[in-house]
Amino acid sequence: MRPLRGVPLNEKSPLTDTPAWRALLAHHKTASTLHMVELFNKDPQRFKRYSLTFEDILFDYSKNRITDETLSLLFDLTRQAKVEDLRDRMFSGEKINNTEGRAVLHTALRNRSNQPVFVDDENVMPKINAELEKMRGFSDKVRSGQWIGYAGLPITHIVNIGIGGSDLGPSMICRALQPYAHHSLTVDFVSNIDASHIDQILIKLRPETTLFVISSKTFTTQETITNANTAKAWFLNGAGRVTHNDISKHFVAVSTNETAVKQFGIDPQNMFRFWDWVGGRYSLWSAIGLSSVLYLGMDNFIALLEGAHAMDQHFCNEPLETNIPVILAMLGVWYGNFFGAESSAVLPYDHNLRLLPAYLEQADMESNGKSVDKKGRQINYSTGKIIWGAEGINGQHAFYQLLHQGTRLIPTDFIASVNSHQCNPTHCSILASNFLAQTEALMRGRTLEETREQLAAADIELHKAEKRLPHMTFQGNQPSNSIVLKKLTPRTLGSLIAMYEHKIFVQGAVWNLNSYDQWGVELGKNLTKKILEEIETNKNLHQHDSSTQGLLDWFRTHRTEEVKNNIE
Ligand code: G6Q
């Protein structure tokens, strides 16, 4: 047998062997039998009681399988887990990322109050502010056309090369805030090592008007450095009379690793910095946001930071009972740990938020996909849920069937904007109606009797109708949160993202795990290096299981034939 993943937990579990957990377990027995339709019928004030507003955002959590007692017990659990204490330690710069010995300070990057924040006795605010100023100076030059490329032309295309946390945040922001973008700049994101990705982008571009932003915290990531080298070769070979000196006009770096940036050939003057206390998936607020700053302008980026800061203040100061990230997190704990929900869907009803689900998949699953606690002890309860999603309106014509009539409990977050930037009242109203109808349908369902009446009204013959009945009834009782923005602006987007970051934080704190490391990505990276060597040398150098060896052999055989065919 393979050994357990962590040190076995011999003593009592600090989470499940506790009064708060046991009380929730007992409460679940009755709560799980309640239907939300009954809860709404009993309490006409339910929406009022279970919804909150934060600036221009409405958070409606009334369509959840909860009562006052549920919430009160969930807050007991939050208190028992000392979430507020950990929150304060994170904000103050304590090294709560214990496995890497690092502070977790993405909140300092958007600390618009400018109150000092200390890491190892150094106030980090001056260097954060200096970097923001540098980003402003550079982006103003590019956006105003003062930054001139090697051929004397201004920049019109930005290409961000990065992956994971150095890609998903900035790309999501650029797409979300596209209505705020500079009218004559385009932005593309290259992440995949599959050359199809970079090739499909480069083919549209001209070297003389393109600026590459190489975004990598470590500046050693294989995919990013390979793509950056391909971009450099494209620039040097495709641009006619260019020299290595011209690289400085078309390549800038965002990183924590100055040595590697220099080695790549980028002048440190063209380097934008951030620090090891910024986790990759939390780095969009740092210089990793440079491509968004170039595209959207510094003022919009500052508004994004301000929105996030406002949510930070809410998270730090609001009592648990009215604290939006806390409620969101604890509802997730309720369904994941007590109802056994395996996944949770994010369903934006705003086309510009189409990349948000992918962004949250990383933010949440890389943070809380852990099976040992902070002390390395094996965990005996479920942790991070599978986060997935897509644009809601498209999902309705695709996977919503399973949400409505499948066998699984899948809590959902609906995110909608009241006012679109594309002001077309017909489209807006149809979109809004769909969003509202879906949350209602998921909650209400449709009883046998209601279905029978509907079929009768449609004049369906009785014997046919009776056969269809079980297929056409909906059990309902599927929980959802509705997060409604007056409009998707830099500020509301900043608050929305920060809300999810804090939700993830609270869940990690309750589950007593380190949300800020990601050792799970290491193993695959190491094996890749070994297999690459075997592919490049065409030799078997390492032991593999028969499946991996078989796949490798098949790949090599067919690759060789392709190459042969190409040569012929
Ligand atoms: C995020 C992860 C990961 C990281 C990428 C890119 O928290 O650590 O997604 O962002 O692997 O890393 P670099 O920025 O170092 O290239």
Side-chain angles (χ1 to χ4, degrees):
M1 220 176 90
R2 304 258 294 174
L4 293 167
R5 284 203 232 179
V7 180
L9 191 66
N10 291 325
E11 72 262 39
K12 284 188 170 178
S13 161
L15 182 61
T16 56
D17 288 320
T18 58
W21 191 273
R22 279 195 289 268
L24 275 161
L25 267 184
H27 172 65
H28 173 256
K29 285 201 179 104
T30 46
S32 59
T33 63
L34 301 174
H35 199 291
M36 281 187 276
V37 169
E38 292 156 20
L39 297 173
F40 273 98
N41 288 344
K42 252 194 247 161
D43 177 9
Q45 298 301 311
R46 189 171 168 88
F47 165 74
K48 214 169 172 195
R49 286 197 305 121
Y50 297 150
S51 61
L52 292 162
T53 49
F54 169 80
E55 297 192 352
D56 285 348
I57 304 177
L58 167 70
F59 172 54
D60 169 22
Y61 59 105
S62 59
K63 291 192 185 92
N64 277 292
R65 296 172 68 171
I66 51 165
T67 60
D68 281 352
E69 188 183 355
T70 320
L71 287 170
S72 148
L73 293 173
L74 287 169
F75 296 134
D76 287 349
L77 184 67
T78 317
R79 288 198 179 86
Q80 181 190 275
K82 299 195 170 60
V83 171
E84 291 153 293
D85 175 53
L86 188 67
R87 173 198 66 196
D88 295 345
R89 286 163 51 206
M90 172 174 80
F91 273 83
S92 68
E94 202 177 299
K95 297 189 176 169
I96 64 161
N97 174 353
N98 64 315
T99 58
E100 295 180 316
R102 290 177 181 167
V104 176
L105 274 182
H106 45 281
T107 51
L109 300 166
R110 58 208 191 202
N111 171 18
R112 304 304 297 162
S113 74
N114 209 23
Q115 289 295 315
V117 180
F118 291 92
V119 176
D120 292 330
D121 298 327
E122 180 199 1
N123 177 12
V124 295
M125 289 316 299
K127 58 185 186 188
I128 291 173
N129 293 331
E131 215 53 40
L132 286 171
E133 273 316 298
K134 187 171 172 184
M135 286 159 76
R136 182 184 286 282
F138 176 62
S139 62
D140 282 354
K141 274 194 198 149
V142 173
R143 290 167 60 82
S144 64
Q146 284 174 55
W147 184 276
I148 299 295
Y150 77 92
L153 295 171
I155 298 299
T156 52
H157 305 290
I158 313 292
V159 180
N160 185 82
I161 299 184
I163 196 165
S166 301
D167 165 72
L168 289 161
S171 58
M172 183 266 289
I173 287 178
C174 287
R175 296 305 167 237
L177 299 178
Q178 186 265 332
Y180 296 83
H182 191 288
H183 57 92
S184 56
L185 278 178
T186 65
V187 67
D188 281 291
F189 290 83
V190 175
S191 55
N192 202 323
I193 190 65
D194 183 341
S196 312
H197 196 176
I198 191 160
D199 286 355
Q200 284 166 14
I201 287 169
L202 293 182
I203 201 147
K204 306 182 295 188
L205 306 179
R206 293 165 58 200
E208 53 270 43
T209 51
T210 301
L211 177 75
F212 292 95
V213 180
I214 316 299
S215 301
S216 174
K217 181 173 170 180
T218 55
F219 230 76
T220 56
T221 303
Q222 192 182 41
E223 294 88 339
T224 299
I225 300 308
T226 309
N227 277 324
N229 277 317
T230 301
K232 190 159 75 172
W234 173 84
F235 174 76
L236 291 172
N237 299 333
R241 294 160 290 105
V242 290
T243 64
H244 273 266
N245 287 341
D246 292 322
I247 289 179
S248 64
K249 297 174 189 135
H250 293 269
F251 284 79
V252 297
V254 181
S255 188
T256 58
N257 184 349
E258 185 168 329
T259 314
V261 168
K262 270 197 219 157
Q263 261 166 19
F264 179 83
I266 293 180
D267 185 337
Q269 290 217 347
N270 288 348
M271 175 181 169
F272 296 82
R273 289 168 177 76
F274 63 115
W275 306 276
D276 73 353
W277 37 261
V278 182
R281 57 193 170 278
Y282 296 90
S283 63
L284 67 85
W285 319 101
S286 73
I288 285 290
L290 185 64
S291 43
S292 353
V293 172
L294 290 164
Y295 187 55
L296 304 167
M298 195 63 193
D299 288 346
N300 284 319
F301 189 71
I302 295 290
L304 180 93
L305 300 184
E306 281 168 352
H309 179 61
M311 182 54 78
D312 293 345
Q313 302 281 297
H314 168 92
F315 179 52
C316 287
N317 301 322
E318 201 66 23
L320 298 183
E321 287 71 12
T322 45
N323 195 310
I324 295 173
V326 170
I327 297 170
L328 198 57
M330 297 315 289
L331 289 170
V333 168
W334 178 228
Y335 296 121
N337 295 95
F338 296 91
F339 285 79
E342 289 283 327
S343 82
S344 180
V346 180
L347 307 168
Y349 279 71
D350 183 321
H351 181 60
N352 290 344
L353 284 176
R354 62 196 177 278
L355 297 188
L356 185 67
Y359 172 78
L360 291 177
E361 279 168 14
Q362 178 188 29
D364 199 311
M365 295 200 280
E366 203 167 55
S367 298
N368 287 341
K370 312 281 162 69
S371 53
V372 295
D373 72 8
K374 278 188 201 144
K375 291 188 178 161
R377 295 171 304 189
Q378 201 190 348
I379 276 172
N380 66 344
Y381 42 85
S382 318
T383 57
K385 280 212 288 294
I386 301 157
I387 304 294
W388 61 284
E391 282 188 81
I393 201 82
N394 295 336
Q396 285 176 215
H397 297 266
F399 56 80
Y400 274 34
Q401 166 64 33
L402 185 140
L403 300 181
H404 285 290
Q405 290 188 311
T407 53
R408 295 166 199 281
L409 179 80
I410 303 180
T412 46
D413 285 355
F414 283 77
I415 304 171
S417 310
V418 179
N419 299 296
S420 165
H421 286 278
Q422 238 42 55
C423 190
N424 179 325
T426 310
H427 286 247
C428 267
S429 308
I430 296 176
L431 184 64
S433 327
N434 272 280
F435 143 61
L436 294 167
Q438 289 298 326
T439 68
E440 187 171 34
L442 285 168
M443 186 277 286
R444 287 181 57 85
R446 190 169 62 195
T447 63
L448 213 61
E449 212 33 60
E450 287 164 344
T451 310
R452 189 173 278 130
E453 275 167 25
Q454 192 177 319
L455 288 170
D459 260 354
I460 311 266
E461 290 169 52
L462 194 63
H463 72 281
K464 280 193 187 158
E466 285 301 316
K467 271 195 187 156
R468 278 195 207 167
L469 274 179
H471 302 281
M472 293 183 65
T473 56
F474 294 67
Q475 157 197 337
N477 221 11
Q478 287 283 8
S480 68
N481 297 308
S482 292
I483 298 150
V484 191
L485 320 177
K486 280 190 192 159
K487 193 167 189 173
L488 181 60
T489 63
R491 187 176 179 96
T492 52
L493 181 65
S495 301
L496 183 73
I497 303 168
M499 174 193 78
Y500 274 110
E501 285 180 348
H502 296 321
K503 170 214 151 181
I504 294 164
F505 167 88
V506 171
Q507 293 187 336
V510 169
W511 292 324
N512 192 30
L513 50 80
N514 180 3
S515 301
Y516 301 102
D517 61 12
Q518 56 284 314
W519 301 103
V521 298
E522 290 296 315
L523 177 60
K525 277 191 192 170
N526 295 341
L527 290 178
T528 298
K529 280 188 201 139
K530 289 185 174 178
I531 295 178
L532 180 60
E533 203 187 352
E534 293 180 290
I535 289 180
E536 285 181 343
T537 60
N538 210 17
K539 286 186 187 139
N540 289 329
L541 304 169
H542 305 284
Q543 279 284 320
H544 300 288
D545 59 88
S546 64
S547 163
T548 310
Q549 187 63 51
L551 289 165
L552 176 59
D553 292 343
W554 201 89
F555 182 85
R556 283 202 290 224
T557 313
H558 290 271
R559 189 176 192 237
T560 312
E561 278 176 12
E562 264 182 40
V563 173
K564 255 195 262 160
N565 289 343
N566 275 342
I567 293 167
E568 279 164 10

